[in-house]
Amino acid sequence: MKLLFLACLSPQTGNHTTAERIRSHIESAGHTCELRDAAEFQSPAEVAGLVSRNPPFEGALAIHLFRAGRLLLGVQVPFGIIFGGTDINEDVKVEQKRVVMEQVLLKARFAVAFTDKLKEEAELCLLSQSRKIYVQPQGIHTEVTEKFCWAEFLKSSGVSSEYVDELRVFLLVCGLRRVKDPLYLVEVFSEWHCKDSQNVLVIIGPKIDPVLTVEVEAVVQSIIHASVSPESRRTELCHCSCRTAGVYLAQERSQQELHAAMKRCFAVLNCSVSEGMSAAILEAMDLGVPVLARDIPGNAAIVQHEFTGLLYSSPQEFVRQSQRLLSDHELRERVVRNGKLYVEEHHGLKQERETYQRLVDTLL
């Protein structure tokens, strides 16, 4: 069977990684699966034309109900859809998008949600048939490159310290876009760093939103906010050189290099406003690294507080939970151990591969 697979393929993003992994599952069953970036196409008519070319595609698949799914509304072949997360959590709030997503879901042969919660939200917000929505958690595979220098990584990110091994590096892995809220912890983390300079925050991920990227770069590189009064500015300068001290922006790396950096850091963070299922959180668990995640439904579905990770609902609570992780070695060991066991039990590649191969067979 020849399949067209549409997804948002910005380099070094979770969507790209997920799409490549699912494509490999499909092709391992003997099908041909052509993965294309949804951004290449302007309208459903363009995709319909592509699908009908000789030799024609016999089926299609897409990740994200709106961004990619809408492009399949003109095709005359059966297709399946995979919820991305922002489609159900955010886009559904926009009436024009919701109407389109309902049409996609009604026409789709099947749909896949990463969590039970995401399926429930889709059933609540969209006109859908529950029987066609399947729940399949993301399969996780991590691979650490041997050619990785931790000191070089930190130096290239702007972290200058003679005592690299004594630093506690918190790694925020996210693409620079609004839904990931990369600046959520910056101010409170800087204040914490001023009290304990061993704590540093490194933000790493692709620059997806150009406007937000400029904003993040400006904040990270700023010396002092203009709103600081002369008196407090003098006091602050005595204790810390800038209000964004201890916060750095790293250049994106390959998946293997990113996993190597994650494995060396003190903890992996998530600050997202909404999530479908964060691959970075699951990868950190698989690598044996503690996770501190913002308490939102998508994160709470995979992070059990104080068991597989720690959840926080405000910047101030993030600091409190981080301090617990620093002082309570038993807590740290527990969340690391349970996190890895959770991924091994619920996010294996074998089950994911079998699910997608079975669903693709329904398109025949």
Side-chain angles (χ1 to χ4, degrees):
M1 186 179 191
K2 183 181 178 183
L3 283 169
L4 174 65
F5 190 3
L6 296 180
C8 301
L9 300 179
S10 299
Q12 312 300 336
T13 60
N15 266 348
H16 199 158
T17 301
T18 298
E20 287 285 5
R21 192 179 63 252
I22 294 173
R23 180 194 58 77
S24 69
H25 292 333
I26 294 170
E27 293 198 330
S28 68
H31 302 293
T32 299
C33 185
E34 185 173 322
L35 182 59
R36 299 286 292 269
D37 190 348
E40 294 179 28
F41 306 97
Q42 299 300 315
S43 68
E46 289 184 29
V47 175
L50 172 65
V51 168
S52 62
R53 288 179 190 169
N54 194 31
F57 288 90
E58 301 162 271
L61 193 63
I63 298 179
H64 201 284
L65 264 174
F66 185 76
R67 293 179 194 163
R70 65 185 176 84
L71 296 170
L72 296 179
L73 285 175
V75 302
Q76 299 303 310
V77 296
F79 66 83
I81 195 78
I82 302 166
F83 300 152
T86 54
D87 44 8
I88 305 302
N89 293 327
E90 302 297 328
D91 291 340
V92 75
K93 301 172 185 175
V94 181
E95 178 64 17
Q96 298 92 324
K97 291 183 178 181
R98 186 184 62 78
V99 170
V100 172
M101 291 193 293
E102 284 180 344
Q103 294 173 357
V104 174
L105 193 53
L106 286 170
K107 189 175 180 182
R109 184 73 58 86
F110 65 82
V112 178
F114 293 143
T115 66
D116 290 313
K117 181 65 176 177
L118 209 59
K119 177 183 178 179
E120 291 169 7
E121 287 296 320
E123 292 170 345
L124 181 66
C125 301
L126 301 169
L127 296 175
S128 64
Q129 299 166 295
S130 178
R131 61 179 176 79
K132 73 163 57 174
I133 304 178
Y134 299 82
V135 176
Q136 174 55 54
Q138 292 214 62
I140 293 299
H141 171 70
T142 57
E143 188 174 353
V144 176
T145 179
E146 295 180 0
K147 299 178 180 179
F148 180 79
C149 178
W150 180 235
E152 183 277 328
F153 169 76
L154 293 177
K155 183 178 180 181
S156 67
S157 304
V159 182
S160 56
S161 174
E162 297 178 12
Y163 309 102
V164 169
D165 292 334
E166 296 179 13
L167 294 176
R168 291 184 289 265
V169 179
F170 292 74
L171 198 63
L172 173 56
V173 181
C174 69
L176 299 187
R177 53 193 182 112
R178 297 289 175 186
V179 73
K180 298 296 183 179
D181 208 0
L183 296 176
Y184 184 64
L185 298 174
V186 167
E187 187 167 343
V188 72
F189 200 99
S190 296
E191 293 172 358
W192 188 31
H193 170 82
C194 291
K195 298 173 183 176
D196 187 345
S197 61
Q198 287 183 307
N199 302 319
V200 298
L201 171 62
V202 176
I203 303 170
I204 183 169
K207 301 173 180 179
I208 299 173
D209 182 335
V211 175
L212 179 61
T213 296
V214 171
E215 185 180 334
V216 171
E217 290 174 340
V219 169
V220 171
Q221 295 170 6
S222 66
I223 302 302
I224 295 180
H225 292 286
S227 60
V228 180
S229 67
E231 293 76 13
S232 61
R233 182 177 302 177
R234 283 193 294 272
T235 302
E236 189 170 15
L237 282 168
C238 292
H239 297 284
C240 186
S241 60
C242 62
R243 290 192 65 177
T244 51
V247 180
Y248 304 89
L249 183 61
Q251 293 295 319
E252 58 188 284
R253 301 291 186 110
S254 70
Q255 192 76 353
Q256 291 183 350
E257 289 176 316
L258 176 60
H259 288 165
M262 291 168 71
K263 194 170 181 65
R264 285 296 307 268
C265 75
F266 179 78
V268 168
L269 312 183
N270 178 287
C271 304
S272 298
V273 174
S274 71
E275 284 280 2
M277 176 174 283
S278 169
I281 287 178
L282 296 171
E283 288 165 353
M285 290 179 178
D286 190 53
L287 290 165
V289 181
V291 170
L292 289 129
R294 194 168 177 173
D295 193 358
I296 55 173
N299 289 343
I302 57 177
V303 179
Q304 186 177 344
H305 186 57
E306 298 182 343
F307 188 73
T308 58
L310 295 173
L311 297 171
Y312 63 89
S313 54
S314 71
Q316 293 72 28
E317 188 178 358
F318 159 76
V319 174
R320 288 194 293 272
Q321 296 298 343
S322 297
Q323 289 171 334
R324 291 183 64 204
L325 200 61
L326 285 168
S327 61
D328 190 337
H329 297 295
E330 183 180 340
L331 172 64
R332 180 181 176 87
E333 290 176 1
R334 182 169 70 248
V335 299
V336 165
R337 180 177 62 253
N338 293 332
K340 187 164 183 62
L341 288 173
Y342 168 78
V343 171
E344 291 174 353
E345 183 175 348
H346 298 282
H347 297 275
L349 293 178
K350 182 176 182 293
Q351 179 61 49
E352 183 185 51
R353 179 169 56 251
E354 291 174 352
T355 295
Y356 283 105
Q357 289 177 352
R358 184 175 68 254
L359 290 175
V360 165
D361 285 343
T362 69
L363 300 179
L364 293 171

